[in-house]
Amino acid sequence: EVHLVESGGGVVQPGGSLRLSCAASGFGFNYYWIFWVRQAPGKGLEWVSGINSGGGTTYYTDSVKGRFTISRDNAKNTAYLQMNSLKSEDTALYYCATDRLGTRRGQGTQVTVSS
C-alpha cells in the first residue's frame, strides 16, 4: 500500500524559503516518479514538479521555475521540494504523489506565505 507523508510546511513571509519532505513507504519508491502537487484555497489540484526514479530528470510548472527545486534520496525513500523566493500565490496545501494528477497522494502539508 502506497503511504506518503509530507512535512515541512509552515508560515513564511514573501521572499522566504521552506523545504518540504515526503517520506514514502509501502511500495518500490526507487522505481517511481514522484510529483509535488498543490491545492490553493478554493481551487483544484495543480501539478508543481516531478522527478524521475533516478533523480536525473526534473520538471516544473512555469510559475515555480527558478524558485523551486525537487530532489530525492532513494536510500532514505524520501523526496524533497526546496522552495525559495516564496510568493503569496504559493500559499496552498502541498502534497507529494506517485502520479502527476495527485490521485495517490499523502495528507499534505500547509504552506502559507504572508506578511
Side-chain angles (χ1 to χ4, degrees), residues 47-48 58-69 87:
W47 169 77
V48 175
T58 58
Y59 295 105
Y60 302 92
T61 193
D62 285 346
S63 63
V64 308
K65 282 180 182 176
R67 300 190 297 122
F68 290 12
T69 303
K87 306 175 180 180

Side-chain angles (χ1 to χ4, degrees), residues 16-60:
S17 298
L18 284 173
R19 189 193 194 205
L20 307 183
S21 298
C22 169
S25 62
F27 67 104
F29 179 80
N30 294 10
Y31 299 102
Y32 279 73
W33 279 75
I34 294 295
F35 301 88
W36 287 94
V37 298
R38 65 186 179 186
Q39 187 167 24
K43 296 188 177 181
L45 283 173
E46 175 192 23
W47 169 77
V48 175
S49 183
I51 188 167
N52 73 333
S53 57
T57 301
T58 58
Y59 295 105
Y60 302 92

Side-chain angles (χ1 to χ4, degrees), residues 35-38 45-47 95-106:
F35 301 88
W36 287 94
V37 298
R38 65 186 179 186
L45 283 173
E46 175 192 23
W47 169 77
Y95 302 93
C96 62
T98 58
D99 63 293
R100 182 168 172 155
L101 294 178
T103 303
R104 293 197 299 181
R105 62 185 186 268

Side-chain angles (χ1 to χ4, degrees), residues 80-114:
Y80 306 96
L81 187 67
Q82 177 67 45
M83 305 187 298
N84 299 328
S85 302
L86 282 162
K87 306 175 180 180
S88 58
E89 51 263 44
D90 295 316
T91 294
L93 189 57
Y94 283 73
Y95 302 93
C96 62
T98 58
D99 63 293
R100 182 168 172 155
L101 294 178
T103 303
R104 293 197 299 181
R105 62 185 186 268
Q107 85 291 342
T109 186
Q110 179 67 39
V111 172
T112 301
V113 184
S114 174

